[in-house]
Amino acid sequence: MTSHQSTQTMKPATAAKKLGVYLEATPAEFREGVVTRAELNALQTDPPEWLRELRRDGPHPRPVVAQKLGVSIAGLARGGVTEPLTTEQIEALKQEQPEWLQKERATQAEVRKEAARLKERDAERAAREA
């Protein structure tokens, strides 16, 4: 009995998400086709110029914008940021430090602090039970 491995493919939206780029900003040939696992790996290891440019300058999808600003995706929405932003726009927001951004960064810092506290607590419990 021989096993036949089929080529694993994904939609362009999935590939764009894995690459951390905004789908609508990718070239038409990327958006209109399917991406194999091998093609995705090749794009990750040796990105073409269009991909390097998108990662550097944007527009960036919301998860990337949130990460670059140090807030959650929900925090972006609460701050009124619903569209993809370029690196230049993100840097401008960092410089301006609007009130919503300061508040969301503080909230995110509290969330991280609480997550670390819970992780430490759980590790201590596991150590005691072992």
Side-chain angles (χ1 to χ4, degrees):
M1 188 190 310
T2 61
S3 65
H4 184 267
Q5 183 79 24
S6 63
T7 304
Q8 193 178 20
T9 61
M10 63 192 82
K11 294 177 182 176
T14 303
K17 188 174 184 177
K18 289 180 182 286
L19 292 169
V21 295
Y22 181 56
L23 178 63
E24 301 305 314
T26 61
E29 59 268 11
F30 180 86
R31 288 192 311 266
E32 294 165 2
V34 294
V35 180
T36 66
R37 174 66 60 188
E39 289 169 337
L40 178 68
N41 291 340
L43 286 169
Q44 288 173 324
T45 56
D46 186 24
E49 183 56 35
W50 66 264
L51 181 54
R52 286 195 300 270
E53 189 175 304
L54 271 179
R55 286 177 169 168
R56 183 179 57 244
D57 302 327
H60 303 287
R62 282 182 309 179
V64 174
V65 173
Q67 183 261 325
K68 287 179 179 271
L69 288 173
V71 300
S72 66
I73 295 172
L76 280 181
R78 285 190 294 269
V81 178
T82 57
E83 297 298 315
L85 299 180
T86 64
T87 301
E88 190 175 304
Q89 291 169 314
I90 292 168
E91 291 304 318
L93 274 174
K94 286 180 178 179
Q95 293 298 316
E96 292 168 19
Q97 285 288 317
E99 187 178 327
W100 72 264
L101 182 56
Q102 294 173 32
K103 181 180 171 195
E104 291 300 334
R105 281 182 160 176
T107 300
Q108 193 68 8
E110 287 297 318
V111 167
R112 280 193 292 271
K113 192 186 326 181
E114 179 64 6
R117 185 189 70 77
L118 292 174
K119 185 176 179 181
E120 186 177 310
R121 182 201 67 190
D122 293 346
E124 287 172 4
R125 284 182 180 171
R128 280 195 307 262
E129 293 172 4

